[in-house]
Amino acid sequence: MPTRPPPLLFPPSLDPLAYVIGLGKCVMLARFTSGRPFHFPPIRCLDEDHWLVTVLGIDDAKEACEVMAGHLWNPPSIREMLRPINARMVLEYCDISSPIPEIAELTNTTPRKVHLLLSAVAVWYKTGDLEAAADLAEESQWFISLLLNKKC
């Protein structure tokens, strides 16, 4: 029985960038670019005035360019990136013993989805099987990983 969340997984469109700069900065970057694809510049093109440095800060901009230089990044929609983070609210409301219909209303989802998410979390903590938890929730493994990892 695991006592910790599963390994942190990101959707393919964020891999490897999210591992380098984090999900929050990926969301900021996607917002800044309005979700449009763009090429990361070589590190030598970065200076204090570069827009990427303005958005990410010099250290994260350098790390991002080191990993992604020359690659075209097609950011997923911000809504898609934030879905598992927003689903965490289901767990937060559950922690304060809110009834499922109330959780569904507060999180703008259905009671069925709330039940599926809570069941998936229970399966993860009972078995440690991320695939089974994801299947039960009718979500991807990266979604369940981000749902259970509060540190990202």
Side-chain angles (χ1 to χ4, degrees):
M1 244 187 306
T3 57
R4 290 191 258 164
L8 189 57
L9 303 174
F10 291 106
S13 56
L14 294 181
D15 187 12
L17 188 59
Y19 290 105
V20 175
I21 65 172
L23 182 64
K25 289 202 175 177
C26 281
V27 171
M28 285 178 21
L29 191 55
R31 280 188 176 151
F32 190 82
T33 62
S34 301
R36 291 187 303 264
F38 73 96
H39 282 92
F40 280 85
I43 293 176
R44 69 179 182 278
C45 294
L46 290 179
D47 60 25
E48 295 291 325
D49 298 324
H50 195 281
W51 69 268
L52 197 56
V53 172
T54 304
V55 174
L56 299 178
I58 189 70
D59 294 334
D60 284 335
K62 283 181 179 178
E63 286 187 50
C65 288
E66 188 174 309
V67 170
M68 301 291 289
H71 289 86
L72 179 67
W73 186 53
N74 286 304
S77 72
I78 294 167
R79 184 179 196 175
E80 184 66 17
M81 284 192 278
L82 292 178
R83 247 175 17 93
I85 308 310
N86 293 337
R88 284 186 195 154
M89 291 307 297
V90 168
L91 304 183
E92 299 295 327
Y93 285 120
C94 183
D95 284 346
I96 59 172
S97 301
S98 298
I100 287 179
E102 185 179 329
I103 294 172
E105 185 178 332
L106 291 168
T107 58
N108 198 28
T109 188
T110 65
R112 178 181 181 277
K113 188 62 178 181
V114 170
H115 179 71
L116 290 175
L117 291 172
L118 295 176
S119 297
V121 170
V123 164
W124 162 255
Y125 282 112
K126 185 175 182 180
T127 67
D129 188 342
L130 188 61
E131 185 175 356
D135 288 346
L136 182 61
E138 299 173 353
E139 293 288 353
S140 64
Q141 289 185 37
W142 67 262
F143 179 96
I144 298 299
S145 168
L146 290 177
L147 172 68
L148 293 170
N149 277 280
K150 294 181 180 181
K151 65 184 177 194
C152 64

